[in-house]
Amino acid sequence: MIYSRIAGTGSHLPEKVISNFDLEKMVDTSDEWIRSRTGIERRHVAADGETTVDLAEHAARRALDAAGVRPEDVDFIAFGTTTPDLVFPNCGTLLQRRLGCRGVPAFSVETACAGFMYALSIADKYVRCGEAQRALVVGSETLSRITDWSDRGTAVLFADGAGAVLLEPAAAPGVLSTHLHSDGVYKDLLYCGSGVSSGFADKLAISMAGSEVFKIAVTKLGQAVEETLAANGVDRTALDWLVPHQANIRIIEATARRLDLPMRRVIVTVQEHGNTSAASVPLALDVAVRDGRIKRGELLLLEAFGGGFTWGSALVRY
Ligand code: ACO
């Protein structure tokens, strides 16, 4: 039996930082409101001309470095993003060109904040069935490009960044299971209402019914973590770390409560990163691997929830 395992992680944040105090000068808000309602203190935003693939390339090279794999030896790229550089080629293929791994399958999945979870699930299957040996899984976003910086309801939440992992085959798991869901019935609660086929509005911006999204996110993520543990016959006390989607500290705390997990066992980067959508989980994972909190052999539960709605989770032995 072949499994996949995470051989290396990487991440990258653009240099420019916007603090809550900077936002106070842009919209009618306050540092106190943002921190108490979301947990966010600052966020990184891409420079003019800096793209989703630019951020992804840095994160990918760091993950490859950590795994000891040469860029040209990558044989599969799954790339989660909602903010692609171009209509086509897709971001996976644009990244493949930069890494020099010519001819291998490379594609993007556009499942909003769950993009990395979807990409991880697909890549895991390819490694397990023996069709990929060095699979790069990326989540990268420049959400600042679809944020209405005059709308206080969304401008305080979203940010830019990238994270990546390199999956390799292993005799023992690794990725124990992944679980993906979507429900398009909720489309109107969170969307960016422009597109090639439906036409572009004057302003490309995220629309969100925040408190409705909040309630459903808490419910669906609670169900997702329970589904993930049940599928593996694992008791919640066996978990070492929750690596959650970094949308809102209150959503993260609610999921941790559902698992009866103390917050010291939860990786929280939302204060520094804001909501980086598909980049959020691999960014948080890489931060905690590099600062030494997450160690080899530990059991991790990853989860994310986003527009669609789409959501997903994974149980991983790191
Ligand atoms: N500063 C100050 N006041 C604000 C701000 C702000 N930035 N934004 C809203 N308010 C006001 C509202 O106008 C409202 O005022 P009112 O009572 O006078 O009408 C009040 O604050 C409360 O607004 P709510 O929307 O009810 O606030 P809530 O506690 O729900 O927090 C938030 C809002 C932070 C958006 C929260 O609902 C949330 O995090 N939702 C989930 C977001 C999320 O998880 N998205 C998922 C994925 S995103 C993706 O897929 C791309």
Side-chain angles (χ1 to χ4, degrees), residues 28-29 33 37-38 113 152-153 156-158 190 208 210-211 213-214 247-248 250-251 275 305-307:
D28 180 14
T29 191
W33 192 96
R37 299 291 179 120
T38 72
C113 298
R152 70 177 183 173
V156 302
L157 303 174
F158 299 113
L190 177 58
M208 183 173 72
S211 53
V213 175
F214 186 96
N248 184 311
R250 293 184 292 143
I251 298 177
N275 181 349
F305 178 90

Side-chain angles (χ1 to χ4, degrees), residues 27-30 33-34 36-38 40 82 111-114 141 143 146 151-158 190-191 206 208-215 217 221 245-251 275-278 305-310:
V27 286
D28 180 14
T29 191
S30 67
W33 192 96
I34 303 169
S36 62
R37 299 291 179 120
T38 72
I40 300 169
T82 326
T111 48
C113 298
E141 300 280 13
L143 283 186
I146 56 167
D151 170 22
R152 70 177 183 173
T154 51
V156 302
L157 303 174
F158 299 113
L190 177 58
Y191 63 95
I206 297 169
M208 183 173 72
S211 53
E212 281 90 338
V213 175
F214 186 96
K215 284 177 222 145
L221 287 173
H245 178 43
Q246 309 287 322
N248 184 311
I249 188 67
R250 293 184 292 143
I251 298 177
N275 181 349
T276 58
S277 186
F305 178 90
F309 292 140
T310 53

